[in-house]
Structure formats: structure tokens, C-alpha cells
Amino acid sequence: FTQAIYKATIVENAPKGTILMTVRATDADLGSNGKVTYAITNKADGISELFKINESDGEMTVVGHIDFEKVQRFEIHIQASDEGGLTDSSKVVVDVVDTNDNKPVINIMSKSPVLSEDSKPGTVITMINIQDQDSGDNGKVHCLTDDNVPFTLKSSSNNFFSLVTDGNLDREQNPSYNISVTCSDEGVPSLSSSITLSLQINDVNDNAPLFEKSSYEASLVENNSPGLSVFVVRAVDADWKQNARVSYILDEGMINGVAISSYVSVNAESGVIHAVRSFDYEQIKDFHFRVKAQDGGSPPLTSNVTVKIVIHDQND
């Protein structure tokens, strides 16, 4: 052999038929005694399934799939033989060059599918682990999340990231999120993978009921029937479920020394105001009272509104 050790490099995923190199041995004899043939001798470790040598000219070619992630270096033992039975041995050391042929793999380690809207900034929602089987820059990974969402990714340790809140949450504005996380390696061209994380925002009782008007006024003709429906007050609550369930309560007070509840009542569920008694214009021409709206949260939130009722005269 012209060399005791030959060295070569091959790019992984090199197509079958790619020429690796040519080895050469010389024999000073003449005729058949000087005719050299070449062979790979370490066939048991699968070398012959990946590489082939031309027995007559020593050209070595790729015949199988070279995968850097499985094997980074090969040692191919070759033998040169003449027809007179004499031999020599050499070795070909092949270093495999990595290519960016693996996308980052995103593994969800832990996940909270529901988050309270009063969660503080920095609350951890999800932990993810990123794996890229490539090496060097091909295996270096960076992750990003959507813009314009109150969440961000923080690197907690090597290839581990945590998705945390990055601002205040408001269920009334955004009751749920679909958060896209994209991880890209530094290979050329870069490869990337994405996942979408669904997150529901749980309601807290942070909105008081609001009346549709700042004040109400209604009129009633005297000598009405007791129990007559006068009009309706209405309040809405931006919260959800029990936190948004509104009840109406008559604020206690006095009119001319008499309790308001002796004049009017309010239906706790519908907000309908009823006249409790028959009114006499000659005794009372108008009066004011307050109605309170209270939600079902714990603790409950309330708001108040002023109601004026005007009594109209009748020719009695």
C-alpha cells in the first residue's frame, strides 16, 4: 500500500454511488504475481453494507445510508492481495460530516390548561424540552412565541424552556388563547418545528354589576291597584357564570316617616318595580329611592341607582 492509513470525509446522506476515495497498492513482481486485487476485510460490523471497494482499481464508493447521528467515524480495514498469495493491509478512517437533517423535537414536560385571570406576571404555564439530534450549529435551537400575547418563553436550563405570563390577564377581553411556539435550529437552511398550546382563562369576580342608566324615572297615575308593575331596572355584569348572576335589592329608607318597602318592592331576579300600595296624588306627588344590584361572586360586588317615581293627578 502507498499509505498505512488513509483518511477521508463523507457528508451524511451522501447518495449511493458517491466516490469516497481510491486506495492503491503496488507490487514489484511481474505477471500474475504482480496483479493486485482489493477487498474489505471487516465485514462483520456492517461496513460492507455502507461501503464497497472495486477489487481491481481500489476505488471506494458509498452503497448504503450514512447517518451522522448513528456513527460519526468509520474504520475500514482493507487488504491488497496478489495472485501469488502475498498480501498487505491498510486502514481507511472516514469521518462523517453532519448535515442539518433533523428538525427540533418539542416535548411538553408539564402543562396547565387553565389559568386564573388574576395570575401574577411570571406564572409558569408550560415546561417544554427541545431535542435536536444534529451537532454544532445544526443542533443549537432557539424558541419564540407569538407577538402581542401576554406570554413569553424563558430558558430555564439547557434545552428546557418555560412559558410564563408576561402581563396582566383579563378574561372579559380574552377568555382563551391558542399560543404558538416555534423552535428553529441554526443550520443552513434552518429547520423548525411548531406546537400550539390551548389555554383557558378562569373568571374571577372583578366586575361589579352596572345599571343600563345612571338614574331612572317612571310615572304612575294615582289610585293605582296595589301590586301594579311600574317599570324595570336592569344591570349587567361582565363576569361569568355565578360571578355574573345579578340580584336586585331595595335599599331601605324612609319617605315621610314610612319605610320605602311600604311604597314599592323590587323583584330580586327580574328587577321589576311594583307598587305596594295605591297612591294618592293629594298626599304624595313624587318620591325617590335606591335599588342595589349585587352579583353572586364571593365576596359579592354591588352598584346602586336612584329611581324617581312621579305620581300623576286623577280627577277624584
Side-chain angles (χ1 to χ4, degrees):
F1 275 105
T2 56
Q3 293 176 222
I5 298 177
Y6 295 87
K7 293 185 177 181
T9 58
I10 188 74
V11 176
E12 71 167 325
N13 303 319
K16 295 179 181 179
T18 299
I19 297 174
L20 177 65
M21 67 180 309
T22 299
V23 298
R24 181 170 175 78
T26 58
D27 193 307
D29 291 318
L30 298 177
S32 62
N33 290 333
K35 186 177 180 180
V36 179
T37 57
Y38 303 91
I40 295 174
T41 58
N42 57 330
K43 296 182 178 181
D45 52 7
I47 291 293
S48 61
E49 297 176 1
L50 300 175
F51 302 99
K52 181 178 73 173
I53 190 168
N54 188 306
E55 66 174 13
S56 60
D57 62 12
E59 182 181 81
M60 302 184 68
T61 55
V62 176
V63 294
H65 176 64
I66 308 297
D67 188 351
F68 175 87
E69 284 70 48
K70 291 183 178 179
V71 182
Q72 291 79 48
R73 171 174 284 193
F74 295 96
E75 290 189 0
I76 308 171
H77 296 194
I78 52 175
Q79 180 176 280
S81 307
D82 62 24
E83 293 188 1
L86 299 180
T87 64
D88 189 22
S89 296
S90 184
K91 182 167 64 175
V92 178
V93 177
V94 182
D95 288 314
V96 181
V97 178
D98 183 40
T99 61
N100 193 27
D101 60 344
N102 289 280
K103 290 182 178 181
V105 177
I106 304 173
N107 301 303
I108 298 176
M109 310 303 292
S110 64
K111 179 184 176 184
S112 298
V114 178
L115 190 66
S116 177
E117 66 174 317
D118 62 352
S119 298
K120 302 296 183 183
T123 300
V124 177
I125 303 165
T126 301
M127 290 289 297
I128 59 175
N129 169 248
I130 315 300
Q131 295 178 335
D132 194 312
Q133 296 182 12
D134 293 317
S135 64
D137 289 344
N138 294 334
K140 291 181 181 178
V141 179
H142 301 283
C143 295
L144 296 172
T145 188
D146 298 325
D147 294 330
N148 304 319
V149 294
F151 309 100
T152 189
L153 279 170
K154 289 188 176 181
S155 178
S156 56
S157 61
N158 188 31
N159 291 332
F160 280 87
F161 294 85
S162 57
L163 181 68
V164 301
T165 54
D166 191 34
N168 294 321
L169 304 176
D170 188 349
R171 189 209 65 85
E172 287 71 49
Q173 291 187 6
N174 292 291
S176 63
Y177 291 91
N178 288 318
I179 310 163
S180 177
V181 176
T182 300
C183 297
S184 305
D185 61 32
E186 294 185 6
V188 180
S190 175
L191 298 178
S192 63
S193 298
S194 297
I195 60 170
T196 299
L197 302 170
S198 296
L199 180 66
Q200 295 292 323
I201 306 301
N202 263 2
D203 185 49
V204 296
N205 192 30
D206 56 352
N207 290 278
L210 293 176
F211 283 97
E212 294 177 336
K213 296 181 179 181
S214 58
S215 64
Y216 291 88
E217 182 174 324
S219 59
L220 184 64
V221 178
E222 67 171 331
N223 301 317
N224 59 284
S225 299
L228 178 70
S229 173
V230 182
F231 73 110
V232 179
V233 295
R234 177 172 167 78
V236 293
D237 194 305
D239 290 316
W240 195 45
K241 290 188 175 180
Q242 189 66 23
N243 292 334
R245 184 177 180 180
V246 179
S247 299
Y248 301 94
I249 303 167
L250 188 67
D251 259 6
E252 283 299 330
M254 306 293 287
I255 300 175
N256 299 329
V258 180
I260 290 175
S261 57
S262 297
Y263 286 80
V264 292
S265 65
V266 61
N267 185 290
E269 293 187 2
S270 66
V272 174
I273 304 294
H274 294 273
V276 174
R277 62 167 64 183
S278 178
F279 291 98
D280 185 349
Y281 174 82
E282 284 71 39
Q283 291 185 3
I284 185 169
K285 294 178 174 55
D286 62 66
F287 61 95
H288 299 77
F289 59 93
R290 294 176 68 82
V291 175
K292 178 169 68 176
Q294 177 175 292
D295 65 29
S298 180
L301 300 177
T302 63
S303 62
N304 296 281
V305 71
T306 299
V307 180
K308 179 182 180 181
I309 293 184
V310 177
I311 309 300
H312 289 296
D313 184 37
Q314 197 176 43
N315 191 23
D316 57 349

